Amino acid sequence: MGRGKPYLVGTQEFAALYGVKEQMPRQWVHRGSLAPETAIVVSGQMYWPLGFAVEFGKTGRGKTLDEDVLARLEREQGPGWMPAARDELPPIVGQTEIVELFHLPSQPTLVMAIESGRFAAADWRLGGSGGLWLLDTVLGAVAELQEKARTLPWEPDPEVVKSLREGRYAGPGAVVLPRGQGAKK
């Protein structure tokens, strides 16, 4: 992928682009003005292609895009490109999917590997995430993970890889879980 990674936004970045509170993108989804199908779900959270988020305000919704925030997001994410639709995105994983990919005993196992520098650096550090990776970044680091391993085999499950690549992954992290009062019902 010679053009770098695709630019993404989570709810915090989406809100910042339009100068609204962080919960507003979630409310837009809940109210139907922002279709959930426009986002990808990674580790139970929604993320949008930056190009889609930029166009969102131009469709008669009365939202004004903050160009300074847009420039900052592009700078922070480094060299990349601006996809307009979720279908343009390559497979992206978070910690929940990585735990499933390697059948790790727990998420803290992965967190320790990340914090100790034994795991590939995250491709994105978007608000609210524990890091997001291109699936290819993770798979490209398998040999090094295995070499540095103390006890874990770090062997990716080929079925999980296939389901992520084909966009049919339905394992842990594949749905947005209710939060707050909704989680108690």
Side-chain angles (χ1 to χ4, degrees), residues 35-82:
E37 301 81 34
T38 59
I40 60 168
V41 176
V42 180
S43 290
Q45 296 184 46
M46 289 186 285
Y47 296 93
W48 291 266
L50 181 57
F52 171 83
V54 167
E55 292 300 313
F56 176 77
K58 297 178 182 177
T59 56
R61 291 182 173 89
K63 312 276 183 262
T64 304
L65 180 72
D66 185 325
E67 296 287 341
D68 291 334
V69 172
L70 175 60
R72 177 180 56 82
L73 290 172
E74 290 176 343
R75 244 186 348 270
E76 287 173 355
Q77 293 187 36
W81 57 285
M82 194 172 307

Side-chain angles (χ1 to χ4, degrees), residues 59-181:
T59 56
R61 291 182 173 89
K63 312 276 183 262
T64 304
L65 180 72
D66 185 325
E67 296 287 341
D68 291 334
V69 172
L70 175 60
R72 177 180 56 82
L73 290 172
E74 290 176 343
R75 244 186 348 270
E76 287 173 355
Q77 293 187 36
W81 57 285
M82 194 172 307
R86 66 178 263 168
D87 294 344
E88 296 176 54
L89 298 173
I92 297 168
V93 296
Q95 290 183 9
T96 306
E97 293 82 6
I98 293 169
V99 168
E100 184 71 10
L101 176 67
F102 292 106
H103 298 293
L104 300 176
S106 68
Q107 193 153 343
T109 303
L110 175 61
V111 171
M112 287 185 345
I114 293 167
E115 289 176 355
S116 69
R118 289 180 288 133
F119 198 82
D123 290 303
W124 295 272
R125 289 273 179 209
L126 299 174
S129 78
L132 299 173
W133 291 260
L134 291 162
L135 177 60
D136 287 341
T137 298
V138 174
L139 295 176
V142 166
E144 186 176 348
L145 282 168
Q146 291 170 338
E147 185 178 302
K148 293 178 180 179
R150 296 183 183 146
T151 57
L152 297 172
W154 292 101
E155 189 64 43
D157 181 323
E159 283 303 312
V160 175
V161 171
K162 184 177 179 184
S163 68
L164 287 162
R165 287 207 188 282
E166 293 174 355
R168 58 175 181 79
Y169 175 78
V175 297
V176 177
L177 299 175
R179 296 178 173 200
Q181 296 291 54

